[in-house]
mmCIF file of all heavy atoms in Angstrom:
data_model
loop_
_atom_site.group_PDB
_atom_site.id
_atom_site.type_symbol
_atom_site.label_atom_id
_atom_site.label_comp_id
_atom_site.label_asym_id
_atom_site.label_seq_id
_atom_site.Cartn_x
_atom_site.Cartn_y
_atom_site.Cartn_z
ATOM 1 N N TRP M 1582 22.718 9.611 0.796
ATOM 2 C CA TRP M 1582 23.378 8.370 0.385
ATOM 3 C C TRP M 1582 24.190 7.768 1.529
ATOM 4 O O TRP M 1582 24.343 6.544 1.617
ATOM 5 C CB TRP M 1582 24.268 8.621 -0.827
ATOM 6 C CG TRP M 1582 23.472 8.825 -2.080
ATOM 7 C CD1 TRP M 1582 23.320 9.983 -2.780
ATOM 8 C CD2 TRP M 1582 22.673 7.848 -2.747
ATOM 9 N NE1 TRP M 1582 22.480 9.782 -3.847
ATOM 10 C CE2 TRP M 1582 22.069 8.487 -3.862
ATOM 11 C CE3 TRP M 1582 22.400 6.502 -2.516
ATOM 12 C CZ2 TRP M 1582 21.215 7.830 -4.739
ATOM 13 C CZ3 TRP M 1582 21.552 5.836 -3.391
ATOM 14 C CH2 TRP M 1582 20.978 6.494 -4.490
ATOM 15 N N SER M 1583 24.692 8.617 2.426
ATOM 16 C CA SER M 1583 25.395 8.106 3.606
ATOM 17 C C SER M 1583 24.426 7.317 4.484
ATOM 18 O O SER M 1583 24.769 6.253 5.025
ATOM 19 C CB SER M 1583 26.004 9.267 4.407
ATOM 20 O OG SER M 1583 26.970 9.955 3.642
ATOM 21 N N GLY M 1584 23.200 7.841 4.613
ATOM 22 C CA GLY M 1584 22.178 7.138 5.382
ATOM 23 C C GLY M 1584 21.817 5.802 4.755
ATOM 24 O O GLY M 1584 21.645 4.796 5.458
ATOM 25 N N ILE M 1585 21.720 5.795 3.428
ATOM 26 C CA ILE M 1585 21.414 4.545 2.716
ATOM 27 C C ILE M 1585 22.532 3.531 2.921
ATOM 28 O O ILE M 1585 22.295 2.339 3.138
ATOM 29 C CB ILE M 1585 21.209 4.832 1.218
ATOM 30 C CG1 ILE M 1585 19.897 5.605 1.015
ATOM 31 C CG2 ILE M 1585 21.184 3.536 0.408
ATOM 32 C CD1 ILE M 1585 19.711 6.124 -0.374
ATOM 33 N N GLY M 1586 23.780 4.018 2.877
ATOM 34 C CA GLY M 1586 24.909 3.131 3.104
ATOM 35 C C GLY M 1586 24.865 2.497 4.491
ATOM 36 O O GLY M 1586 25.147 1.292 4.641
ATOM 37 N N LEU M 1587 24.501 3.283 5.500
ATOM 38 C CA LEU M 1587 24.393 2.744 6.854
ATOM 39 C C LEU M 1587 23.290 1.690 6.939
ATOM 40 O O LEU M 1587 23.449 0.660 7.600
ATOM 41 C CB LEU M 1587 24.105 3.875 7.851
ATOM 42 C CG LEU M 1587 25.280 4.789 8.210
ATOM 43 C CD1 LEU M 1587 24.811 5.898 9.151
ATOM 44 C CD2 LEU M 1587 26.409 3.988 8.857
ATOM 45 N N GLN M 1588 22.163 1.947 6.270
ATOM 46 C CA GLN M 1588 21.059 0.982 6.293
ATOM 47 C C GLN M 1588 21.474 -0.350 5.666
ATOM 48 O O GLN M 1588 21.198 -1.423 6.211
ATOM 49 C CB GLN M 1588 19.860 1.554 5.544
ATOM 50 C CG GLN M 1588 19.207 2.743 6.227
ATOM 51 C CD GLN M 1588 18.143 3.371 5.355
ATOM 52 O OE1 GLN M 1588 17.171 2.727 4.989
ATOM 53 N NE2 GLN M 1588 18.329 4.636 5.009
ATOM 54 N N LEU M 1589 22.143 -0.285 4.512
ATOM 55 C CA LEU M 1589 22.559 -1.506 3.829
ATOM 56 C C LEU M 1589 23.635 -2.239 4.635
ATOM 57 O O LEU M 1589 23.656 -3.473 4.670
ATOM 58 C CB LEU M 1589 23.067 -1.173 2.430
ATOM 59 C CG LEU M 1589 22.015 -0.606 1.457
ATOM 60 C CD1 LEU M 1589 22.649 -0.324 0.097
ATOM 61 C CD2 LEU M 1589 20.839 -1.553 1.313
ATOM 62 N N LEU M 1590 24.519 -1.485 5.296
ATOM 63 C CA LEU M 1590 25.522 -2.104 6.153
ATOM 64 C C LEU M 1590 24.845 -2.807 7.325
ATOM 65 O O LEU M 1590 25.241 -3.918 7.712
ATOM 66 C CB LEU M 1590 26.502 -1.040 6.666
ATOM 67 C CG LEU M 1590 27.637 -1.542 7.578
ATOM 68 C CD1 LEU M 1590 28.487 -2.580 6.843
ATOM 69 C CD2 LEU M 1590 28.501 -0.371 8.036
ATOM 70 N N GLY M 1591 23.796 -2.174 7.868
ATOM 71 C CA GLY M 1591 23.045 -2.793 8.952
ATOM 72 C C GLY M 1591 22.374 -4.081 8.507
ATOM 73 O O GLY M 1591 22.374 -5.079 9.240
ATOM 74 N N VAL M 1592 21.808 -4.083 7.301
ATOM 75 C CA VAL M 1592 21.182 -5.292 6.760
ATOM 76 C C VAL M 1592 22.228 -6.392 6.592
ATOM 77 O O VAL M 1592 21.975 -7.566 6.892
ATOM 78 C CB VAL M 1592 20.507 -4.997 5.404
ATOM 79 C CG1 VAL M 1592 20.081 -6.291 4.717
ATOM 80 C CG2 VAL M 1592 19.291 -4.100 5.608
ATOM 81 N N ALA M 1593 23.427 -6.013 6.115
ATOM 82 C CA ALA M 1593 24.501 -6.997 5.940
ATOM 83 C C ALA M 1593 24.871 -7.639 7.280
ATOM 84 O O ALA M 1593 25.098 -8.854 7.355
ATOM 85 C CB ALA M 1593 25.731 -6.332 5.312
#
Side-chain angles (χ1 to χ4, degrees):
W1582 287 110
S1583 297
I1585 290 171
L1587 285 177
Q1588 292 173 60
L1589 295 180
L1590 181 59
V1592 170

